[in-house]
Structures are given as C-alpha cells and as structure tokens.
Amino acid sequence: MRVPLSWLREFVDVPVSATGEDVLADLVRVGFEEEEVLGFELTGPIVVGEVREFVEEPQSNGKTIRWCQVDVGDALGGVRGIVCGARNFFAGDKVVVTLPGAVLPGPFPIAARKTYGHVSDGMIASAKELGLGDEHSGILRLVDLGIDAPVGTDAIALLGLDDVAVDVNVTPDRGYALSIRGIAREYSHATGAAFRDPGAKVWGEVNLHDETAFAVAVEDDAPIRGRVGASEFVARIVRDVDPTKPTPPWMIARLTLAGIRSLGILIDITNYVMIELGQPIHGYDLDRLQGGITVRRAAAGETLQTLDGKTRTLHPEDLLITDASGPIGLAGVMGGGTTEMTDATRNVLIEAATFDTVTIARTARRHKLPSEASRRFERGVDPAIAFVAAARVAELMERYAGGTDTRAGGAINATRVDTMIELPRDFVSGLIGVDYTADEIVSSLEMIGATVRETAAGWVVAAPSWRPDLTDKWTLAEEVARITGYDRIPSVLPIPPAGRGFTAAQQGRRRVANALAAAGYVETPSFPFVAEADNRLHGSAGGGEVASVRLANPLDGQHPFLRRSLVPGLLQVAHRNVSRGLLDLALFESGVVFRPAIGQAYGTPFVPPPAVRPDAATLAELDAAIPPQPRHIAVLVTGNRVAKQPGAPAESFELLDVLDAVRTIAGAAGVRIDVSQTQRAALHPGRAGALSVDGVEVGYVGEVLPTVAAAADLPGRVYVAELDLDRVLDAARTVTAVTLSGYPAATQDVSLVVAEDVAAATLRDALVEGAGPLLEAVRLVDDYRGAGVPEGSKSLTFALRFRAPDRTLTAAEATEAKLAGVARAQERCGASIRD
C-alpha cells in the first residue's frame, strides 16, 4: 500500500518535519513491514512560465518547431528562448518550464543546448515528462487544469510534485489498511497523533422514495459458506457531469504516488475514493443501463466482455452485476465494456457494495484478473462504509466534474449483528507473557475501535466493522500486544520437555548421512520428478512390482511422474557436473520414493472439517489413501577415486568402492548387509548384486549399463547402490557394548573350495556358526578360480581372528575352533579345504 504523506496528513497529525523514513519507522511499531519511500524524482528549478510569442520554423526533415519566448520572471532571468516541438499552446498560455539545472524523472537533466539553429534555454514540459501521466502528445497547459499562478511560481509545489509516499506491506488479514483511512488510524495508534476518521462524516443517504429512485436487487441462490454474494449495495445517481474536465494536478499526483495512473476525471474520482476509504467504487454510464441492477450468480455458458476487451466464459460461482440486457460486470473484480464511462457520459450511476470475500477471491483467480478492487474485497471491506464512499464520490463529481448529486438511487443493506467475544480477565497476560493492567487492555481495544463491556469474568468485546479478522480472544490478545508494543514481550527461550528429541528413525537417518559424508560422499538433493522410462528402467530398491504416480500439474511436461528410484536423479546430477568439467564424483541422496501398488486406487475420499482435530480412524483413512512413500538412500561414483599425481597413476572407482559405501551404510545403521548376485535392467550383467538384511532384500548394487551411462552423457564406468533405508533401519538391532579383551588374538586363514553357485556370505555364516564364540572376526580376502581348482568350483579364502576374554589362546585352541567351522561349512555347503 503506497501512502502519499500529504494525503495521510489530512486525517492524522503527522509532523511537518517527519520524513517518509520517520513515518515508516512509526508504522513498524504497530506491526507493518516497511518497503520503501517513493517520490517523483524531480529537482528544480521548475517554474510557471508564460509564452509571450513564438515563431514557427519548418525544418528540412518535415518537422515544424516553434522558437518561443517564454517569461519565467525577473528573478530567473526574465524572457528565455526555448525550442518546442509541440503545437497545442498559444501565445499568452501559462506552461511549466524546466530550466537548466533541473532534473526530470529518468533521470533526465536539463541544460541549455543548441538545437535547430537556436540555443534552447530550458524546456517546456509535458505531463508525462513531469511524471503526471502518460499524455505526451503536447505540453501541459495550466489553463487546462484550471490553474492560474504568477509567472515564476514553483511548479513542483503547485502541482503537488513535492509529495512523497511510503510503501507499506499489508498482510492479508489486515485489509482495512489498504486505505489512507486505515493507515492514518494505525499511525495514530503508533504515535498518539490525533486521528480524524473520514468515514465518520455525516452524509445524506440515498433518497429511496424519490421518483427517480433506481431499482436494485440481490438474487443469490447459491451462497458460499452460507453467505450471499452481496450483503451491501448502494447505487447513487449524479447527473450532468462533464467527463472532459481536467483532473486536478494534486489528485493526479496522489494517485500516481499510490500506483494508479490517471484515466480521466470520472474514473480518477472513483479510484481516489477507493484509496482514501478502502471501498472499491464502480461507475456506470447511466444512459447505457437498461432497467435496474440485479446482483446474481452466473448461469452456465454465460459470457461477459470485460473492460480489458476480452470476452470471458463465466462460471456458475461467479457473482455478476446485471441489468435487463444481461451481465454488465464481474462483481468486485472488473466492470463490463457495455456500460463503461466514456467522454460521452453525462449521467453516472455510482456503485458501492460489500461482496463476499471467498467469491471475489475465487473469481479473480479463476479469470486471472487481479485488480485493486478484488485485492480489497477478498481481504474484507468495511460493510459500514458503502454509503459514505458513494456520497464522497458524488461530492467530488459535483466539485470537479460539474455534476449534480441527485441523492437518488437504490440501496440494499443487511442488518449487521456484532459478534460478541468473551475475553477472560487474565487471558491476555497469560498468553503474551506480559503483566498488562486492566486499563491497558481496555484502552488498547477501544483505541482500535472495539466496544468493550466489563463483566465479572473479564470483558465482552465487539470488534469494529472494519476488522473482520478479530474473531476470538486470541486475535484480541494479539491486538493488545501490538498496540502496547512488541518490545514489552520478553525474549524467553522455551525449555524442551524431557524425553523429546529425534526419533530412533531420525537418528538412524542422520547417522547414515553423516557416515557417507565423512567417507567423502557429497549429498545432492534433487527434484522427485522423472519420465516414465526412468521408472521402468531403474524400478525401485527392495523389489516388487509397483506402478507410477502421474502428476496432474507437472512442473516439466517431460518429467510428469514421481520417482520410484533415486538413481535417475543422481544420474542427472552427475551429468550436470560432468558437463561443467567435474569428472570425479562420489554422490549420495536420501529421500522418499513413491511406490503405489499396481491396481490399488489412491486418493482422499473426503476432506475433514477445518479447525477440528481428526480422530485416529480419520487419520488412518487418510493415510490409507496415500501411496507408500519409503525413504531410500542411494550412492553413485564415477571417474577417479585417486587423481593422477607425480609418481603415481590415477586410480579409478571400482565396484569395490560402492560396496564399501554399502558397508558404511550398514555400519552406521547397525545391521549386516549381505550381497548376492542378481540381474537388473539398468545394471551390467555379472556386475550386479542384491542387498539383503536377514534374508530380506533391501536394495541393489552394481555397475550401470554402458548404454544407460552413455544416455546420461557420462564417460567411463558408473557404479550405483540403492537401499530402502526404512527397511534397513527397521532391521537394526540394539548394539550392546562389550568389554574389550586385553589378551592377544590368534589369527589363521582358511581356503575352502565350493561350487561356484555357493554365495560367499552363506559359506561365511557356516564358518561363524561352527567356530563358536572364540571367533571374533571373519573376512573374505580372496576369490580364486583357475588352475588347481576343479572346473565349476571356486576357492574362497577367509582371514579368521580368534580371541578369548579371559586367557591367551593357544594355537591348538584356535585350530580346533577353525576346524569346527570347516566341518560345519562342509556339512552345509559341501566345502573342502583347498590343498
């Protein structure tokens, strides 16, 4: 909301010495966020001059210029020669002259310069050059503005161009502040300055019994939330206006600073009153109306040509202004083209109404028609101001457009019943944390316009008509805190209750992410949107047939599906980095994937009522309507693990590196992850493994197919792993710390020959089970297939470490435990010791 200071001073006592920054600082104290201070960016000397005479001089380019002699007053050099290209003025006219040294908006400095064979000692300005509008076809003649000022008068002050405006950010719940009236009231609250309410002026209401009274009706058969579309509607007739009369320059200046351009005296007056009082106004050419006005909802298939020239197909929820010919305006949003005011208008029907906030908001968004009017209606307009605003428009049209206020028209107004809010005596202090006195509470609420009545338990408060946001005791408490000053509220850090903090799952996810980061991996979150081909190719960790979720309004039409895997996002990140010259990458991402079951219908069957906490059954039903969204974790490596350096070649990432990342995840999660060979569509045959915990598959690991890597423009080999992190953490067991033995370990190796289809993890488990509690650790160190090993078999070598908690083991004890493990491996896997 842009607020010109000269306008603000009409309704509240702002000190003459106060700058825009001072006003903003005062408004901050009552909760308004400051934006900036705006002005016309003019500097003088810019004065009133009189054209004494001129000579027209045709030029070789076909243009005719005027060599003018302009009197700017003896104090400024008397008569000056000025070249002017405009031809809409006459000798004797008083004009605005910008003298050398002046600066116009742009900035555009003025200097004496030679042009068309003359030295032009200044410039005669147009309205556009001064920032007073878009008119640039000719220079600004003061007689057209009804101004007669002495030669040499400061034109900046004369035209109101010395004014500035403060830009205030108004939150959606404080629509009353989208007006000079509202901001003036708030400035009064902040400083204690005297406030003069322009809405409190006594105006004569519309004479409904006049023979020229205008018929008005509201027919709303489809109210929203039980509220009809229009609760107030005032129509007032002004006759014999002259739409060609000039808008006063002070009004143009104020509207310009408020962000509204001048469109002629009739429209300027309606906009002026809207900014002043916060009540949107619409004016109709009375002679183009057919019959009375009816406010109703649109019928299916109806159309309306709005003022912007577009024909719009209407929705049954749209609220319309209609006459006997049909729709003539979108209520509260934009008028229609058939009844707009033009230069031929002689009689005006003024409309001031109160429309339903939800209806106007939906209509403006549906038709993509945001306007200054809809901006106010959707935040709530004071229902008690419509008569005042209509009368104010009529007064200004009488004064500046030569019209006659007939006080005839029509009106519909609903009986307003104040909502009484009970405010317990100790509630405000208990909620805000400040010991407010009863006088402070009552005076704060009365200051904002509320009516307060004391009761035994506290007070009963009726909010003012312009504050629809005050609906309960909590909003009243906020007003007390705002008016008395936020600086009184102590800064106290809340003490967290015992037993709160991260859940076990949150702690596990954080441990895993920190472990990968510590291992040198970089976390790269990505958007969860992919193409269908990505979902088909990469599937999702954990196996199982799943469908894809398609978005109704995707950000990118080429990626309309929600991901079933994190790998496509990592491939995109890798591609982006490689394209920028970063070839050696170790990446990871943790995030949700979307795995709806095939044939399962999802979607919310109902919407719970607002402001009511759903019960357990409702929450369960809502959860069941959402597809499963497990959290996964994935890693990707490509390029070199160790860069080339003097004396040592580069070392490329291998499959073992991504397996190390899997072991890092397992260690951080507190589980053991087994690897077995498998095949997946996007992975290289023979270089893909299934990851499982306690026999349950939780993910995969392997080398990306060269064709898939090439499709992502990734050179060299790419290795990935993806796990269902939720499953991994669910399988984690409680880790019990044990006392470390101070006795030395006994180490032995054993090489076992088994069939090629026997998994190393199965053989290891058999060794561990047979060796018993003395076996402290076992690690696979070699996988040999070749000479000396029967065809179809392989030799797996394990490093074994034995230790006892209470003694030093002998070699015989270690050997006995090893052989017990070998015996179990022979029994379960058909293993034999390699010679």
Side-chain angles (χ1 to χ4, degrees):
M1 174 67 189
R2 297 179 177 182
V3 183
L5 292 193
S6 66
W7 207 346
L8 186 67
R9 287 188 171 100
E10 287 190 10
F11 308 127
V12 67
D13 292 339
V14 180
V16 177
S17 60
T19 64
E21 288 78 6
D22 296 334
V23 172
L24 284 176
D26 290 329
L27 290 173
V28 165
R29 290 205 294 269
V30 286
F32 288 95
E33 182 181 344
E34 60 181 283
E35 295 289 342
E36 58 182 331
V37 178
L38 306 164
F40 284 98
E41 301 177 354
L42 289 168
T43 57
I46 301 176
V47 300
V48 174
E50 182 180 343
V51 179
R52 291 292 182 86
E53 60 181 1
F54 57 81
V55 177
E56 294 191 346
E57 298 181 355
Q59 304 297 311
S60 59
N61 59 5
K63 181 178 181 180
T64 298
I65 62 98
R66 287 181 174 181
W67 171 239
C68 308
Q69 303 300 312
V70 184
D71 184 6
V72 296
D74 294 337
L76 295 171
V79 177
R80 297 189 179 222
I82 297 176
V83 173
C84 184
R87 307 185 65 185
N88 67 320
F89 61 93
F90 307 95
D93 277 347
K94 289 185 177 178
V95 295
V96 176
V97 181
T98 58
L99 298 175
V103 179
L104 297 180
F108 180 60
I110 303 299
R113 62 189 185 94
K114 187 173 183 180
T115 179
Y116 295 106
H118 301 281
V119 176
S120 184
D121 200 12
M123 185 181 78
I124 305 175
S126 68
K128 183 175 182 179
E129 289 163 340
L130 294 171
L132 276 176
D134 296 329
E135 179 58 43
H136 194 53
S137 59
I139 59 100
L140 183 65
R141 302 169 66 231
L142 296 185
V143 67
D144 292 338
L145 302 179
I147 295 176
D148 185 14
V151 169
T153 301
D154 182 4
I156 294 178
L158 179 68
L159 300 176
L161 302 177
D162 55 348
D163 201 1
V164 297
V166 294
D167 195 0
V168 180
N169 184 15
V170 177
T171 54
D173 61 326
R174 300 172 74 178
Y176 68 94
L178 291 174
S179 65
I180 305 298
R181 179 195 185 202
I183 295 296
R185 179 181 282 107
E186 291 299 328
Y187 182 84
S188 173
H189 298 342
T191 63
F195 170 63
R196 298 171 291 278
D197 187 359
K201 186 175 180 180
V202 177
W203 299 86
E205 293 190 355
V206 175
N207 183 0
L208 302 180
H209 303 290
D210 190 280
E211 62 181 7
T212 59
F214 195 83
V216 176
V218 175
E219 299 175 358
D220 187 2
D221 297 328
I224 304 297
R225 297 187 305 172
R227 294 168 56 183
V228 296
S231 57
E232 304 278 340
F233 197 100
V234 176
R236 192 168 186 134
I237 295 173
V238 178
R239 296 190 179 276
D240 301 323
V241 297
D242 182 357
T244 63
K245 282 185 172 291
T247 301
W250 58 266
M251 184 180 290
I252 295 177
R254 288 181 174 181
L255 289 173
T256 301
L257 286 175
I260 296 178
R261 62 191 181 97
S262 175
L263 296 172
I265 183 61
L266 299 181
I267 297 176
D268 287 349
I269 287 174
T270 61
N271 286 334
Y272 186 86
V273 173
M274 176 182 67
I275 299 297
E276 183 173 85
L277 299 177
Q279 169 69 61
I281 300 288
H282 188 69
Y284 301 89
D285 187 325
L286 180 63
D287 299 323
R288 299 171 71 180
L289 287 172
Q290 300 180 27
I293 279 182
T294 300
V295 183
R296 62 170 174 83
R297 303 280 174 175
E302 269 191 302
T303 60
L304 168 68
Q305 185 182 53
T306 47
L307 287 173
D308 57 3
K310 294 182 180 180
T311 299
R312 303 180 183 276
T313 301
L314 304 175
H315 187 276
E317 189 181 326
D318 292 336
L319 193 67
L320 301 181
I321 309 298
T322 67
D323 66 0
S325 67
I328 59 174
L330 272 175
V333 179
M334 184 175 285
T338 59
T339 57
E340 67 175 315
M341 296 183 295
T342 66
D343 287 347
T345 298
R346 290 295 173 265
N347 301 301
V348 175
L349 180 74
I350 302 165
E351 169 206 302
T354 302
F355 297 118
D356 178 55
T357 57
V358 174
T359 296
I360 302 307
R362 289 179 176 174
T363 297
R365 285 158 179 75
R366 182 181 300 115
H367 295 285
K368 297 180 175 60
L369 264 180
S371 64
E372 289 293 333
S374 67
R375 184 182 175 205
R376 286 162 175 80
F377 277 126
E378 64 189 31
R379 287 164 171 79
V381 170
D382 182 0
I385 202 70
F387 276 105
V388 176
R392 174 66 166 152
V393 172
E395 177 202 33
L396 293 177
M397 284 187 177
E398 272 193 322
R399 186 182 306 172
Y400 298 109
T404 300
D405 179 11
T406 64
R407 295 194 177 182
I412 292 176
N413 62 300
T415 301
R416 182 174 179 270
V417 178
D418 291 333
T419 300
M420 308 308 292
I421 305 170
E422 294 186 3
L423 182 62
R425 193 172 303 276
D426 297 329
F427 177 77
V428 177
S429 296
L431 179 67
I432 306 300
V434 178
D435 290 330
Y436 297 110
T437 66
D439 287 343
E440 285 179 318
I441 294 173
V442 172
S443 62
S444 297
L445 295 176
E446 290 179 341
M447 181 181 293
I448 65 172
T451 302
V452 183
R453 177 171 57 83
E454 189 170 5
T455 64
W459 301 274
V460 173
V461 181
S465 59
W466 58 86
R467 295 297 303 272
D469 57 307
L470 301 181
T471 56
D472 49 43
K473 59 185 178 181
W474 288 275
T475 52
L476 294 179
E478 290 174 358
E479 286 300 293
V480 174
R482 185 174 69 89
I483 296 301
T484 58
Y486 292 128
D487 56 326
R488 292 182 58 183
I489 302 175
S491 299
V492 179
L493 291 176
I495 300 174
R500 300 291 179 88
F502 288 132
T503 64
Q506 290 171 329
Q507 292 174 351
R509 291 197 292 266
R510 178 163 291 197
R511 283 198 310 272
V512 169
N514 288 344
L516 285 175
Y521 287 80
V522 177
E523 187 172 11
T524 57
S526 59
F527 286 118
F529 312 122
V530 297
E532 174 65 8
D534 292 327
N535 275 345
R536 288 198 305 267
L537 182 62
H538 296 281
S540 58
E545 292 296 326
V546 293
S548 294
V549 177
R550 187 184 185 99
L551 296 172
N553 54 344
L555 294 177
D556 183 352
Q558 295 182 341
H559 299 88
F561 292 91
L562 291 174
R563 65 190 179 192
R564 300 197 316 233
S565 168
L566 300 180
V567 171
L570 288 176
L571 289 173
Q572 290 180 10
V573 173
H575 165 73
R576 190 177 303 115
N577 281 272
V578 168
S579 69
R580 288 161 173 76
L582 304 175
L583 306 180
D584 306 325
L585 302 171
L587 311 174
F588 84 94
E589 179 178 1
S590 175
V592 295
V593 297
F594 304 84
R595 304 185 63 215
I598 292 178
Q600 177 68 44
Y602 295 99
T604 304
F606 69 98
V607 178
V612 177
R613 179 179 176 82
D615 57 21
T618 301
L619 292 175
E621 189 174 354
L622 291 172
D623 286 340
I626 302 173
Q629 301 176 31
R631 182 175 291 273
H632 283 199
I633 191 163
V635 297
L636 178 149
V637 295
T638 185
N640 293 328
R641 176 170 54 84
V642 177
K644 181 180 179 181
Q645 50 192 310
E651 297 181 15
S652 300
F653 279 112
E654 298 290 345
L655 185 58
L656 290 176
D657 294 302
V658 77
L659 283 170
D660 278 341
V662 172
R663 282 189 282 270
T664 298
I665 294 171
V671 299
R672 193 187 78 188
I673 297 179
D674 297 321
V675 185
S676 59
Q677 279 199 329
T678 189
Q679 290 188 354
R680 293 186 69 86
L683 299 184
H684 198 294
R687 298 177 69 83
L691 305 175
S692 59
V693 176
D694 296 334
V696 178
E697 186 175 332
V698 296
Y700 62 89
V701 62
E703 179 184 338
V704 174
L705 273 173
T707 54
V708 175
D713 294 326
L714 297 177
R717 295 184 172 184
V718 180
Y719 303 94
V720 297
E722 182 171 11
L723 298 94
D724 186 327
L725 188 55
D726 287 342
R727 287 188 181 181
V728 171
L729 294 175
D730 287 344
R733 300 182 180 90
T734 301
V735 178
T736 303
V738 297
T739 303
L740 295 177
S741 174
Y743 294 94
T747 60
Q748 295 191 20
D749 291 349
V750 62
S751 297
L752 300 175
V753 178
V754 294
E756 284 186 343
D757 60 352
V758 175
T762 303
L763 185 60
R764 180 198 60 199
D765 290 344
L767 277 172
V768 171
E769 182 180 335
L774 293 181
L775 180 60
E776 184 180 70
V778 57
R779 182 166 55 91
L780 178 66
V781 295
D782 188 39
D783 181 342
Y784 174 74
R785 310 174 196 207
V789 176
E791 186 176 352
S793 301
K794 59 185 176 182
S795 173
L796 300 178
T797 301
F798 293 91
L800 310 176
R801 186 171 72 237
F802 300 93
R803 195 192 311 266
D806 57 351
R807 68 189 187 280
T808 300
L809 287 177
T810 64
E813 288 177 310
T815 300
E816 182 181 357
K818 178 185 74 173
L819 293 176
V822 171
R824 183 59 56 87
Q826 183 178 14
E827 175 188 340
R828 182 169 297 175
C829 304
S832 61
I833 297 179
R834 179 182 172 191
D835 294 334

